[in-house]
Amino acid sequence: MGIRQYKKDHLKELAPALTGVVAETPHPESDNPLTFWTSHEHPTLVDLTLFATGDYARPDGDTPAARGRTFSGRPQLIAELAPALRALMEFAAPRTVAQYTQSLRDWWRLFDTVERDAAKAAISVSVVRSFADIGELHRQRAHDDHMDRGAFGTVLAAVNIVRKTKGMRRLTWQRPDPKRRVRHLPPEWQVREVRLELKHRWFAALDRWQVADELLSGRQPQTEEEQRLLTNYRAFEEAVARSGHPRPRSESVRLAMSNTTFHRSGFSIPDMLRGRYPDAEDIRCAFHLCLAATGWNPAVLLSLDANSNAIEAHPKDPARYVLRGYKARSKSEQQTEGLYKSQGSAGVILLTLMQRTAPLRAHLRDDLAKQDAIYQALLKEGASKAKLDEQRKVVANLRIGVSSFWLYATSKNERILWLDPHATTYSIGSEKKEGLSFLDSLVACINLRRPADSQLARERLAEPP
């Protein structure tokens, strides 16, 4: 079955077919100045309580590395910085909030280190209880310890806001020099090999879905393997109908069969899922192909909203589309064009993913409506702030899923999954090997087929900065 005959006329119809999502509900303000929600399109709960109480947990045991991640609580200091931090993070994305939190951790540990070293050397230093106690000694220690430039500037900005409100002179400290990044520009032939491998895997997924659709539509199996796959696909369809869920639980698929009997009978949940939805490898292949096709930053692709008109027919050529993204950092629109007939172009890849994952998105949309209704009920009941915050986290997470182009399903996780737009999950390898990214794994597979004297480099080949 040739993948080049994959039917794609219907893809044009998907672009304008958008469904509304329930609107965001205003969240009541907290009486606790250390907790607040951001006003980003994907709101995040910021909880600074840990910096008042301290973090003494040692999940890795009583080791030097574990102890190095703990820090003391400084209630007065975080109370003074909280209003400034809230102003700085008001419209921040979840990933930026995480960076602010990590910056505070770095500074809190630095304060502990300075005070601990001074005690060992019998030197008198002021304990940092207030913003006014942060001085030249801490600036120098941050430089000596090569603190991250961003972490240094983040907390310094908050301190200077507080100093200004108190009528004090701002600290004109220079941030540490940026860390030198070693970047490797691979030869063109290596980049071409990676792109060809990505395309090969993407076309293999298209072929797999086409075969599954044809078998379920009535085409007679031509091999024993196709007959086995058809049996699996039908069993999965029945499980979906029984459970009313597009990704039924394993128990619903197996019914009363044990795992051993299930597998000996030729059934495979991974095969069932892969015939209907993209899996973890498919979605990362698609994502990296789109990166290569558009030249956009990962954040722009991850933030594309599946419920918006991100993909539109070209106004002058019905055979083409226009794909638009938004680069938050520079506040600019990104735009690219392509042909509807090109299966490897970014817009067609996105439309194909929309089609294959439509049942998953529909379920997430229904779940969002239900969870939002629960949230509304809690509001009317006057539920505690803690309950409201927990429920809003659920709603906020579902909003991200509903708007994501990058939905997928795996046999190892019974939830509907998607690439996190505020993390680097797009680069994580599907194989659970320490330090092996998706591109590392891809290059390793390519190298298995190549002679020893023409191996591809694995030094962050084609990895975005």
Side-chain angles (χ1 to χ4, degrees):
M1 186 60 58
I3 60 174
R4 298 294 179 179
Q5 282 72 48
Y6 185 77
K7 298 177 181 178
K8 49 191 178 292
D9 293 341
H10 59 285
L11 293 178
K12 295 181 184 180
E13 302 172 2
L14 281 177
L18 306 173
T19 305
V21 178
V22 290
E24 179 78 20
T25 302
H27 192 74
E29 289 290 331
S30 172
D31 294 331
N32 183 355
L34 298 184
T35 62
F36 57 90
W37 283 86
T38 63
S39 300
H40 190 262
E41 60 179 335
H42 297 305
T44 305
L45 176 63
V46 180
D47 189 349
L48 303 174
T49 306
L50 197 63
F51 300 100
T53 61
D55 182 4
Y56 302 102
R58 297 176 184 175
D60 301 330
D62 191 10
T63 64
R67 288 194 296 270
R69 289 191 289 271
T70 64
F71 54 82
S72 305
R74 300 176 189 272
Q76 181 181 343
L77 176 60
I78 194 62
E80 292 169 343
L81 295 181
L85 291 168
R86 180 167 187 167
L88 291 170
M89 287 191 275
E90 183 176 3
F91 299 102
R95 188 172 182 178
T96 304
V97 171
Q99 292 169 349
Y100 269 87
T101 304
Q102 184 57 48
S103 299
L104 288 168
R105 287 177 175 272
D106 292 344
W107 275 96
W108 256 239
R109 290 174 187 139
L110 182 142
F111 298 147
D112 284 349
T113 301
V114 169
E115 292 162 11
R116 184 168 55 248
D117 290 353
K120 288 179 181 179
I123 299 174
S124 177
V125 297
S126 298
V127 175
V128 176
R129 295 188 175 88
S130 167
F131 75 95
D133 298 322
I134 302 174
E136 182 64 22
L137 179 62
H138 304 101
R139 181 205 66 80
Q140 187 60 50
R141 187 57 184 255
H143 279 260
D144 292 345
D145 290 351
H146 307 289
M147 179 182 283
D148 178 77
R149 181 180 174 89
F152 184 94
T154 294
V155 175
L156 178 62
V159 169
N160 276 331
I161 290 174
V162 178
R163 290 177 69 91
K164 183 177 180 180
T165 61
K166 302 293 184 181
M168 299 172 65
R169 182 177 59 84
R170 63 189 300 271
L171 300 175
T172 56
W173 293 347
Q174 291 294 320
R175 294 190 296 171
D177 293 332
K179 294 179 181 178
R180 183 180 178 186
R181 291 186 178 182
V182 179
R183 302 183 190 273
H184 301 275
L185 184 63
E188 184 178 346
W189 71 268
Q190 294 193 20
V191 176
R192 184 171 61 251
E193 288 294 320
V194 170
R195 293 188 68 167
L196 286 175
E197 180 67 16
L198 288 170
K199 284 188 176 182
H200 174 77
R201 295 189 181 194
W202 174 246
F203 290 141
L206 295 180
D207 192 32
R208 184 176 76 238
W209 296 331
Q210 180 178 348
V211 169
D213 292 346
E214 289 178 352
L215 290 174
L216 288 171
S217 297
R219 178 172 72 77
Q220 291 299 312
Q222 299 174 1
T223 64
E224 289 185 6
E225 176 62 12
E226 283 195 350
Q227 180 60 59
R228 186 190 71 82
L229 289 173
L230 176 58
T231 303
N232 274 268
Y233 298 153
R234 284 175 174 168
F236 187 76
E237 295 291 316
E238 293 169 1
V240 170
R242 281 194 305 271
S243 64
H245 196 295
R247 183 10 185 139
R249 297 177 62 86
S250 299
E251 295 81 1
S252 179
V253 178
R254 291 198 310 267
L255 291 178
M257 280 189 282
S258 65
N259 272 332
T260 302
T261 303
F262 185 76
H263 293 302
R264 284 180 178 174
S265 301
F267 290 111
S268 166
I269 291 179
D271 284 341
M272 295 178 184
L273 290 169
R274 281 164 52 81
R276 186 155 184 174
Y277 308 121
D279 63 9
E281 182 174 305
D282 296 331
I283 207 68
R284 285 169 175 82
C285 277
F287 182 81
H288 283 81
L289 262 182
C290 289
L291 277 181
T294 62
W296 293 354
N297 288 338
V300 178
L301 273 178
L302 288 168
S303 64
L304 289 174
D305 188 350
N307 300 297
S308 69
N309 291 313
I311 306 172
E312 296 178 323
H314 195 284
K316 296 183 179 180
D317 185 356
R320 302 179 67 84
Y321 66 82
V322 179
L323 172 63
R324 293 185 175 88
Y326 181 73
K327 191 172 184 179
R329 182 174 295 181
S330 61
K331 296 180 173 58
S332 61
E333 183 181 83
Q334 309 286 292
Q335 183 172 312
T336 187
E337 300 178 10
L339 292 168
Y340 279 112
K341 69 178 183 180
S342 176
Q343 298 176 38
S345 69
V348 176
I349 289 173
L350 292 171
L351 289 174
T352 302
L353 291 175
M354 282 279 287
Q355 180 204 27
R356 297 309 305 187
T357 60
L360 302 179
R361 183 169 286 99
H363 181 82
L364 287 175
R365 188 175 285 112
D366 291 343
D367 199 15
L368 171 59
K370 292 176 184 176
Q371 295 299 329
D372 189 66
I374 294 173
Y375 176 69
Q376 301 291 344
L378 290 174
L379 276 175
K380 291 181 180 178
E381 294 170 5
S384 68
K385 187 65 169 56
K387 279 188 177 181
L388 288 173
D389 285 342
E390 285 303 312
Q391 186 60 24
R392 196 185 189 198
K393 286 181 186 178
V394 175
V395 173
N397 187 54
L398 285 171
R399 287 185 186 279
I400 294 174
V402 167
S403 66
S404 176
F405 275 98
W406 312 102
L407 302 181
Y408 65 101
T410 72
S411 59
K412 296 180 180 179
N413 194 320
E414 295 184 336
R415 296 184 297 109
I416 298 172
L417 305 172
W418 54 86
L419 298 182
D420 189 340
H422 309 296
T424 56
T425 55
Y426 66 88
S427 66
I428 296 173
S430 52
E431 298 181 21
K432 299 296 183 181
K433 294 182 181 179
E434 185 176 354
L436 193 64
S437 71
F438 172 78
L439 283 176
D440 285 337
S441 178
L442 191 80
V443 169
C445 289
I446 296 173
N447 283 337
L448 289 175
R449 304 191 299 268
R450 300 188 63 84
D453 60 350
S454 62
Q455 297 279 293
L456 275 66
R458 286 178 50 184
E459 293 152 338
R460 302 184 68 80
L461 179 69
E463 187 79 53

